[in-house]
Amino acid sequence: REAESFKEQGNAYYAKKDYNEAYNYYTKAIDTCPNNASYYGNRAATLMMLGRFREALGDAQQSVRLDDSFVRGHLREGKCHLSLGNAMAASRCFQRVLELDHKNTQAQQELKNATTVLEYEKIAEVDFEKRDFRKVVFCMDRALEFAPACHRFKILKAECLALLGRYPEAQSVASDILRMDSTNADALYVRGLCLYYEDCIEKAVQFFVQALRMAPDHEKACLACRNAKALKAKKEDGNKAFKDGNYKLAYELYTEALGIDPNNIKTNAKLYCNRGTVNSKLRKLEEAIDDCTNAVKLDDTYIKAYLRRAQCYMDTEQYEDAVRDYEKVYQTEKTKEHKQLLKNAQVELKKSKRKDYYKILGVDKNASEDEIKKAYRKRALMHHPDRHSGASAEVQKEEEKKFKEVGEAFTILSDPKKKARYDSGQDLEEDGLNMGDFDANNIFKAFFGGPGGFSFEASGPGNFFFQFG
């Protein structure tokens, strides 16, 4: 009679949704009369409402041990199994209910739910092997609608989120589990995995070691820990070799590090950029560009890789590509330094689209005044129209064009002010110098001087000499 009184009070609190008080009174009823199946069943229902499914499962199982024909007890046991992710055990419980009451619609529906969860589990297993992690996350989200307390499903989802690079979401799921169970090796492994993929390798190793303390046979934690330690060691060795100026060794070490774990995108992006820096030091600029391109493919927010590649583009006179990279950098980080780098690249691009007067004369950009005069003398004589008077019309036209360009080049590079404006990338036409209007012959006459006219005469096959009149 006393136990029944406790149960009725528990029922009253349960109806008011005061589940903690209901739990206390059902416990008193069980303490008073420990062999009553319904008391355990009621407390199981209360624990389920409190989200304490593992404890609820124990009470539900005890209720059906005391009374195997207790339909509600089997239903609650099945619901607890399903909520905890054990769909197979849940199915057996719901089938037992249907043996006792073949018209039980709740058991029929819950059996369908359990079957659905089993199907999602199978699909997720196959998709994980295929590395289709988005599909696995989808399947786990659907399964968790029926199994909200299943740590296994949550861990699989978190692991896939980490493998997809969605680290904050993965960390959140793992941290929720660790708040409930600080010794959960799988959750510790996922926390470590997120840190590992975010290039916080030292902290990641700590979590992997902790996971292995909880579960020494945890294969994934063991492999991840081994990879993390190897990656950290190789990267540090590569950095040391680079600082010591041993670029060949640094290149080899960074290459070895890149082969350790292709899934570690952020660390590999840094390794590619580091190797690109090594290649630039070795003057292997195209290889350096390739490495930096691989770095930004892995991490398109990696400013350092864009800057390194842009400098290599500048060094190889690929100015349009350099401008594009510097624009990307400046859009991301609007610093004075980045603005100046962009401006310099734009100037070089503008200069590259003009005639290269140094190239036309065949002199270096640091050529002296005498070297420029000497180069003009040689090129002007080489391309003078009179020298090619016996050639075809097409050749004459081409040589005339070159003769004019040589005159242009000399006009600009022999005048210190014009040369300075040209070197700084200023538009000479904007400065009032229209190169289309000048006469190359006048420059030629002014340069060579001398009385009367001049002519080219042959002194043998293929040989010419210049003669003043």
Side-chain angles (χ1 to χ4, degrees):
R1 206 175 292 124
E2 187 181 14
E4 278 295 307
S5 173
F6 287 139
K7 185 190 91 168
E8 285 169 11
Q9 288 179 76
N11 289 348
Y13 281 113
Y14 187 93
K16 294 176 187 175
K17 298 184 180 180
D18 187 345
Y19 301 117
N20 285 311
E21 277 302 306
Y23 171 83
N24 292 335
Y25 279 100
Y26 289 141
T27 300
K28 287 178 182 179
I30 288 169
D31 290 342
T32 306
C33 185
N35 295 318
N36 188 304
S38 69
Y39 297 168
Y40 285 99
N42 286 5
R43 191 168 73 174
T46 304
L47 287 164
M48 288 166 71
M49 297 307 291
L50 290 167
R52 292 156 62 180
F53 291 99
R54 202 161 293 283
E55 295 170 72
L57 177 62
D59 275 352
Q61 287 173 326
Q62 180 60 19
S63 75
V64 296
R65 272 196 291 270
L66 292 169
D67 181 1
D68 186 49
S69 64
F70 185 31
V71 170
R72 285 186 185 177
H74 286 296
L75 271 172
R76 286 165 186 160
E77 182 186 356
K79 281 284 287 178
C80 288
H81 278 309
L82 188 56
S83 293
L84 292 164
N86 190 345
M88 194 69 76
S91 296
R92 288 195 292 269
C93 294
F94 300 136
Q95 284 165 353
R96 176 60 182 148
V97 172
L98 292 172
E99 288 171 12
L100 295 168
D101 176 10
H102 68 277
K103 291 183 180 179
N104 192 300
T105 54
Q106 189 180 355
Q108 288 169 359
Q109 183 57 51
E110 294 293 356
L111 187 58
K112 286 179 184 176
N113 294 344
T115 303
T116 300
V117 170
L118 285 170
E119 286 173 1
Y120 281 128
E121 277 192 83
K122 286 176 185 174
I123 295 167
E125 188 178 343
V126 172
D127 287 328
F128 191 88
E129 289 299 317
K130 290 180 184 175
R131 301 186 65 79
D132 188 350
F133 302 124
R134 283 185 179 81
K135 187 83 174 289
V136 179
V137 171
F138 172 81
C139 288
M140 289 302 95
D141 278 336
R142 300 291 80 74
L144 283 163
E145 290 173 7
F146 303 107
C150 181
H151 285 183
R152 187 164 47 88
F153 293 169
K154 289 178 181 179
I155 288 294
L156 181 56
K157 174 186 173 179
E159 183 179 0
C160 290
L161 287 170
L163 291 166
L164 288 167
R166 293 160 63 180
Y167 307 120
E169 294 170 77
Q171 294 251 33
S172 176
V173 175
S175 296
D176 285 346
I177 292 170
L178 288 170
R179 273 194 287 275
M180 291 181 277
D181 177 11
S182 62
T183 64
N184 189 301
D186 291 324
L188 289 166
Y189 159 70
V190 170
R191 285 279 284 116
L193 197 64
C194 291
L195 290 164
Y196 173 62
Y197 284 144
E198 289 182 294
D199 198 40
C200 301
I201 294 179
E202 205 165 326
K203 285 184 180 178
V205 169
Q206 292 172 7
F207 275 96
F208 295 144
V209 168
Q210 200 176 343
L212 289 167
R213 282 201 200 103
M214 299 301 126
D217 296 329
H218 200 295
E219 290 181 11
K220 288 180 177 179
C222 187
L223 176 63
C225 191
R226 189 162 61 244
N227 283 346
K229 286 178 177 178
L231 205 52
K232 182 173 180 284
K234 284 286 182 198
K235 186 181 175 187
E236 288 176 352
D237 289 346
N239 292 347
K240 184 178 184 303
F242 180 82
K243 284 176 185 174
D244 293 343
N246 191 342
Y247 301 130
K248 187 179 177 185
L249 177 59
Y251 178 89
E252 289 170 1
L253 289 165
Y254 289 140
T255 302
E256 287 172 17
L258 281 164
I260 292 171
D261 185 1
N263 294 320
N264 195 324
I265 290 168
K266 282 214 169 181
T267 302
N268 287 344
K270 290 183 179 180
L271 288 167
Y272 272 120
C273 187
N274 287 2
R275 196 173 74 174
T277 305
V278 171
N279 274 323
S280 69
K281 290 286 186 183
L282 294 168
R283 303 311 294 166
K284 296 180 178 178
L285 297 177
E286 289 301 329
E287 288 92 333
I289 288 169
D290 288 342
D291 277 339
C292 293
T293 299
N294 283 325
V296 298
K297 277 181 184 174
L298 293 175
D299 181 1
D300 64 0
T301 65
Y302 192 16
I303 295 298
K304 190 176 176 182
Y306 284 109
L307 287 169
R308 172 62 55 196
R309 186 171 70 175
Q311 184 56 58
C312 291
Y313 281 140
M314 292 291 285
D315 293 341
T316 53
E317 299 183 3
Q318 300 178 64
Y319 300 120
E320 285 188 7
D321 292 322
V323 167
R324 188 175 61 247
D325 276 356
Y326 282 133
E327 281 176 343
K328 169 80 175 176
V329 169
Y330 186 62
Q331 284 167 8
T332 309
E333 293 182 1
K334 294 186 184 296
T335 67
K336 286 183 180 178
E337 182 188 356
H338 295 158
K339 187 177 183 179
Q340 188 58 49
L341 287 168
L342 174 58
K343 188 178 178 182
N344 293 345
Q346 288 168 334
V347 167
E348 291 302 322
L349 175 60
K350 187 176 180 182
K351 285 162 67 175
S352 73
K353 291 184 175 179
R354 305 173 310 172
K355 289 178 184 177
D356 187 340
Y357 291 135
Y358 291 101
K359 192 173 182 180
I360 288 168
L361 285 185
V363 295
D364 185 77
K365 290 183 179 180
N366 298 315
S368 67
E369 189 178 341
D370 285 342
E371 286 172 327
I372 289 169
K373 286 180 179 179
K374 187 178 177 182
Y376 173 71
R377 180 191 301 275
K378 180 182 174 183
R379 296 289 172 117
L381 291 172
M382 185 188 301
H383 298 298
H384 195 285
D386 287 359
R387 185 174 184 178
H388 302 279
S389 57
S392 67
E394 190 177 339
V395 170
Q396 286 186 41
K397 188 176 180 182
E398 182 63 27
E399 292 300 325
E400 189 177 341
K401 179 186 173 187
K402 288 179 180 177
F403 178 69
K404 184 178 178 182
E405 286 178 341
V406 168
E408 283 181 26
F410 180 71
T411 300
I412 300 303
L413 300 183
S414 63
D415 183 321
K417 288 183 179 179
K418 291 174 185 174
K419 182 177 182 293
R421 289 201 295 272
Y422 174 77
D423 287 343
S424 66
Q426 291 181 45
D427 193 325
L428 297 175
E429 290 190 6
E430 286 180 4
D431 291 343
L433 181 64
N434 187 352
M435 299 308 295
D437 294 338
F438 90 108
D439 189 335
N441 283 308
N442 288 338
I443 296 168
F444 187 86
K445 289 173 186 176
F447 183 86
F448 283 98
F454 53 87
S455 64
F456 285 90
E457 293 184 9
S459 62
N463 296 316
F464 292 85
F465 68 92
F466 179 74
Q467 181 182 17
F468 284 104

